[in-house]
PDB file of all heavy atoms in Angstrom:
ATOM      1  N   ILE A 279      -1.361  65.195  21.750  1.00 90.00           N
ATOM      2  CA  ILE A 279      -2.650  65.326  22.444  1.00 90.00           C
ATOM      3  C   ILE A 279      -3.790  65.371  21.429  1.00 90.00           C
ATOM      4  O   ILE A 279      -4.810  64.694  21.579  1.00 90.00           O
ATOM      5  CB  ILE A 279      -2.653  66.590  23.328  1.00 90.00           C
ATOM      6  CG1 ILE A 279      -1.653  66.421  24.478  1.00 90.00           C
ATOM      7  CG2 ILE A 279      -4.038  66.859  23.882  1.00 90.00           C
ATOM      8  CD1 ILE A 279      -1.389  67.686  25.241  1.00 90.00           C
ATOM      9  N   THR A 280      -3.604  66.166  20.360  1.00 91.00           N
ATOM     10  CA  THR A 280      -4.663  66.289  19.360  1.00 91.00           C
ATOM     11  C   THR A 280      -4.971  64.940  18.722  1.00 91.00           C
ATOM     12  O   THR A 280      -6.143  64.552  18.615  1.00 91.00           O
ATOM     13  CB  THR A 280      -4.236  67.274  18.256  1.00 91.00           C
ATOM     14  OG1 THR A 280      -3.712  68.434  18.885  1.00 91.00           O
ATOM     15  CG2 THR A 280      -5.394  67.656  17.385  1.00 91.00           C
ATOM     16  N   VAL A 281      -3.912  64.235  18.316  1.00 88.00           N
ATOM     17  CA  VAL A 281      -4.117  62.941  17.652  1.00 88.00           C
ATOM     18  C   VAL A 281      -4.844  61.975  18.586  1.00 88.00           C
ATOM     19  O   VAL A 281      -5.781  61.281  18.191  1.00 88.00           O
ATOM     20  CB  VAL A 281      -2.762  62.361  17.189  1.00 88.00           C
ATOM     21  CG1 VAL A 281      -2.910  60.918  16.766  1.00 88.00           C
ATOM     22  CG2 VAL A 281      -2.220  63.172  16.031  1.00 88.00           C
ATOM     23  N   MET A 282      -4.422  61.964  19.858  1.00 87.00           N
ATOM     24  CA  MET A 282      -5.075  61.104  20.856  1.00 87.00           C
ATOM     25  C   MET A 282      -6.564  61.410  20.956  1.00 87.00           C
ATOM     26  O   MET A 282      -7.406  60.511  20.884  1.00 87.00           O
ATOM     27  CB  MET A 282      -4.451  61.348  22.240  1.00 87.00           C
ATOM     28  CG  MET A 282      -3.187  60.594  22.492  1.00 87.00           C
ATOM     29  SD  MET A 282      -3.569  58.922  22.921  1.00 87.00           S
ATOM     30  CE  MET A 282      -2.077  58.460  23.743  1.00 87.00           C
ATOM     31  N   LEU A 283      -6.885  62.721  21.133  1.00 90.00           N
ATOM     32  CA  LEU A 283      -8.289  63.109  21.305  1.00 90.00           C
ATOM     33  C   LEU A 283      -9.109  62.744  20.073  1.00 90.00           C
ATOM     34  O   LEU A 283     -10.211  62.200  20.182  1.00 90.00           O
ATOM     35  CB  LEU A 283      -8.381  64.624  21.565  1.00 90.00           C
ATOM     36  CG  LEU A 283      -7.872  65.096  22.919  1.00 90.00           C
ATOM     37  CD1 LEU A 283      -7.953  66.606  23.033  1.00 90.00           C
ATOM     38  CD2 LEU A 283      -8.680  64.444  24.032  1.00 90.00           C
ATOM     39  N   ILE A 284      -8.536  63.021  18.890  1.00 89.00           N
ATOM     40  CA  ILE A 284      -9.251  62.713  17.643  1.00 89.00           C
ATOM     41  C   ILE A 284      -9.489  61.216  17.532  1.00 89.00           C
ATOM     42  O   ILE A 284     -10.574  60.771  17.180  1.00 89.00           O
ATOM     43  CB  ILE A 284      -8.430  63.209  16.436  1.00 89.00           C
ATOM     44  CG1 ILE A 284      -8.276  64.720  16.501  1.00 89.00           C
ATOM     45  CG2 ILE A 284      -9.025  62.718  15.136  1.00 89.00           C
ATOM     46  CD1 ILE A 284      -9.079  65.484  15.530  1.00 89.00           C
ATOM     47  N   ASP A 285      -8.455  60.436  17.850  1.00 84.00           N
ATOM     48  CA  ASP A 285      -8.592  58.981  17.761  1.00 84.00           C
ATOM     49  C   ASP A 285      -9.706  58.491  18.668  1.00 84.00           C
ATOM     50  O   ASP A 285     -10.528  57.670  18.277  1.00 84.00           O
ATOM     51  CB  ASP A 285      -7.275  58.299  18.159  1.00 84.00           C
ATOM     52  CG  ASP A 285      -6.301  58.273  17.009  1.00 84.00           C
ATOM     53  OD1 ASP A 285      -6.604  58.898  15.980  1.00 84.00           O
ATOM     54  OD2 ASP A 285      -5.239  57.644  17.141  1.00 84.00           O
ATOM     55  N   ILE A 286      -9.717  58.993  19.903  1.00 86.00           N
ATOM     56  CA  ILE A 286     -10.723  58.529  20.865  1.00 86.00           C
ATOM     57  C   ILE A 286     -12.119  58.905  20.377  1.00 86.00           C
ATOM     58  O   ILE A 286     -13.023  58.070  20.301  1.00 86.00           O
ATOM     59  CB  ILE A 286     -10.446  59.130  22.263  1.00 86.00           C
ATOM     60  CG1 ILE A 286      -9.148  58.546  22.826  1.00 86.00           C
ATOM     61  CG2 ILE A 286     -11.608  58.861  23.192  1.00 86.00           C
ATOM     62  CD1 ILE A 286      -8.642  59.251  24.053  1.00 86.00           C
ATOM     63  N   ALA A 287     -12.291  60.195  19.973  1.00 87.00           N
ATOM     64  CA  ALA A 287     -13.609  60.663  19.535  1.00 87.00           C
ATOM     65  C   ALA A 287     -14.043  59.905  18.291  1.00 87.00           C
ATOM     66  O   ALA A 287     -15.178  59.431  18.200  1.00 87.00           O
ATOM     67  CB  ALA A 287     -13.556  62.160  19.260  1.00 87.00           C
ATOM     68  N   SER A 288     -13.110  59.788  17.332  1.00 84.00           N
ATOM     69  CA  SER A 288     -13.462  59.162  16.061  1.00 84.00           C
ATOM     70  C   SER A 288     -13.781  57.688  16.248  1.00 84.00           C
ATOM     71  O   SER A 288     -14.709  57.162  15.637  1.00 84.00           O
ATOM     72  CB  SER A 288     -12.310  59.366  15.088  1.00 84.00           C
ATOM     73  OG  SER A 288     -12.416  58.520  14.011  1.00 84.00           O
ATOM     74  N   GLU A 289     -13.024  57.029  17.123  1.00 80.00           N
ATOM     75  CA  GLU A 289     -13.282  55.605  17.327  1.00 80.00           C
ATOM     76  C   GLU A 289     -14.627  55.388  17.987  1.00 80.00           C
ATOM     77  O   GLU A 289     -15.362  54.461  17.641  1.00 80.00           O
ATOM     78  CB  GLU A 289     -12.160  54.980  18.164  1.00 80.00           C
ATOM     79  CG  GLU A 289     -12.097  53.483  17.999  1.00 80.00           C
ATOM     80  CD  GLU A 289     -10.971  52.860  18.789  1.00 80.00           C
ATOM     81  OE1 GLU A 289      -9.964  53.552  19.010  1.00 80.00           O
ATOM     82  OE2 GLU A 289     -11.111  51.697  19.166  1.00 80.00           O
ATOM     83  N   ALA A 290     -14.971  56.295  18.931  1.00 82.00           N
ATOM     84  CA  ALA A 290     -16.269  56.180  19.595  1.00 82.00           C
ATOM     85  C   ALA A 290     -17.391  56.317  18.575  1.00 82.00           C
ATOM     86  O   ALA A 290     -18.325  55.505  18.532  1.00 82.00           O
ATOM     87  CB  ALA A 290     -16.394  57.244  20.674  1.00 82.00           C
ATOM     88  N   LEU A 291     -17.285  57.334  17.706  1.00 82.00           N
ATOM     89  CA  LEU A 291     -18.311  57.547  16.679  1.00 82.00           C
ATOM     90  C   LEU A 291     -18.358  56.377  15.714  1.00 82.00           C
ATOM     91  O   LEU A 291     -19.421  55.923  15.316  1.00 82.00           O
ATOM     92  CB  LEU A 291     -18.008  58.832  15.910  1.00 82.00           C
ATOM     93  CG  LEU A 291     -18.427  60.121  16.591  1.00 82.00           C
ATOM     94  CD1 LEU A 291     -17.842  61.311  15.854  1.00 82.00           C
ATOM     95  CD2 LEU A 291     -19.949  60.218  16.605  1.00 82.00           C
ATOM     96  N   ARG A 292     -17.154  55.906  15.367  1.00 76.00           N
ATOM     97  CA  ARG A 292     -17.036  54.825  14.390  1.00 76.00           C
ATOM     98  C   ARG A 292     -17.726  53.558  14.880  1.00 76.00           C
ATOM     99  O   ARG A 292     -18.528  52.961  14.171  1.00 76.00           O
ATOM    100  CB  ARG A 292     -15.551  54.573  14.160  1.00 76.00           C
ATOM    101  CG  ARG A 292     -15.182  53.618  13.113  1.00 76.00           C
ATOM    102  CD  ARG A 292     -13.882  54.023  12.446  1.00 76.00           C
ATOM    103  NE  ARG A 292     -12.764  54.210  13.354  1.00 76.00           N
ATOM    104  CZ  ARG A 292     -11.948  53.231  13.740  1.00 76.00           C
ATOM    105  NH1 ARG A 292     -12.140  52.016  13.323  1.00 76.00           N
ATOM    106  NH2 ARG A 292     -10.947  53.492  14.543  1.00 76.00           N
ATOM    107  N   THR A 293     -17.434  53.177  16.104  1.00 74.00           N
ATOM    108  CA  THR A 293     -18.031  51.944  16.612  1.00 74.00           C
ATOM    109  C   THR A 293     -19.519  52.138  16.855  1.00 74.00           C
ATOM    110  O   THR A 293     -20.276  51.180  16.828  1.00 74.00           O
ATOM    111  CB  THR A 293     -17.349  51.504  17.918  1.00 74.00           C
ATOM    112  OG1 THR A 293     -17.135  52.654  18.718  1.00 74.00           O
ATOM    113  CG2 THR A 293     -16.040  50.820  17.629  1.00 74.00           C
ATOM    114  N   LYS A 294     -19.947  53.408  17.094  1.00 74.00           N
ATOM    115  CA  LYS A 294     -21.361  53.665  17.294  1.00 74.00           C
ATOM    116  C   LYS A 294     -22.116  53.452  15.985  1.00 74.00           C
ATOM    117  O   LYS A 294     -23.223  52.929  15.965  1.00 74.00           O
ATOM    118  CB  LYS A 294     -21.545  55.108  17.783  1.00 74.00           C
ATOM    119  CG  LYS A 294     -22.790  55.322  18.584  1.00 74.00           C
ATOM    120  CD  LYS A 294     -22.800  56.710  19.164  1.00 74.00           C
ATOM    121  CE  LYS A 294     -24.185  57.090  19.628  1.00 74.00           C
ATOM    122  NZ  LYS A 294     -24.197  58.481  20.090  1.00 74.00           N
ATOM    123  N   ILE A 295     -21.499  53.892  14.883  1.00 70.00           N
ATOM    124  CA  ILE A 295     -22.195  53.823  13.597  1.00 70.00           C
ATOM    125  C   ILE A 295     -22.177  52.410  13.036  1.00 70.00           C
ATOM    126  O   ILE A 295     -23.169  51.904  12.560  1.00 70.00           O
ATOM    127  CB  ILE A 295     -21.569  54.827  12.612  1.00 70.00           C
ATOM    128  CG1 ILE A 295     -21.954  56.240  13.043  1.00 70.00           C
ATOM    129  CG2 ILE A 295     -22.064  54.578  11.206  1.00 70.00           C
ATOM    130  CD1 ILE A 295     -21.178  57.306  12.362  1.00 70.00           C
ATOM    131  N   SER A 296     -21.030  51.779  13.078  1.00 59.00           N
ATOM    132  CA  SER A 296     -21.008  50.387  12.632  1.00 59.00           C
ATOM    133  C   SER A 296     -19.844  49.706  13.312  1.00 59.00           C
ATOM    134  O   SER A 296     -18.963  50.355  13.858  1.00 59.00           O
ATOM    135  CB  SER A 296     -20.854  50.291  11.128  1.00 59.00           C
ATOM    136  OG  SER A 296     -19.507  50.358  10.775  1.00 59.00           O
ATOM    137  N   ASN A 297     -19.861  48.397  13.248  1.00 54.00           N
ATOM    138  CA  ASN A 297     -18.854  47.682  14.015  1.00 54.00           C
ATOM    139  C   ASN A 297     -17.664  47.258  13.177  1.00 54.00           C
ATOM    140  O   ASN A 297     -17.036  46.246  13.433  1.00 54.00           O
ATOM    141  CB  ASN A 297     -19.468  46.470  14.691  1.00 54.00           C
ATOM    142  CG  ASN A 297     -20.273  46.899  15.898  1.00 54.00           C
ATOM    143  OD1 ASN A 297     -19.841  47.795  16.632  1.00 54.00           O
ATOM    144  ND2 ASN A 297     -21.423  46.299  16.082  1.00 54.00           N
TER     145      ASN A 297
END
Side-chain angles (χ1 to χ4, degrees):
Chain A
I279 293 169
T280 313
V281 168
M282 277 281 201
L283 289 177
I284 297 253
D285 278 7
I286 292 169
S288 164
E289 200 178 332
L291 280 169
R292 186 147 55 88
T293 42
K294 206 173 164 184
I295 288 167
S296 85
N297 284 320

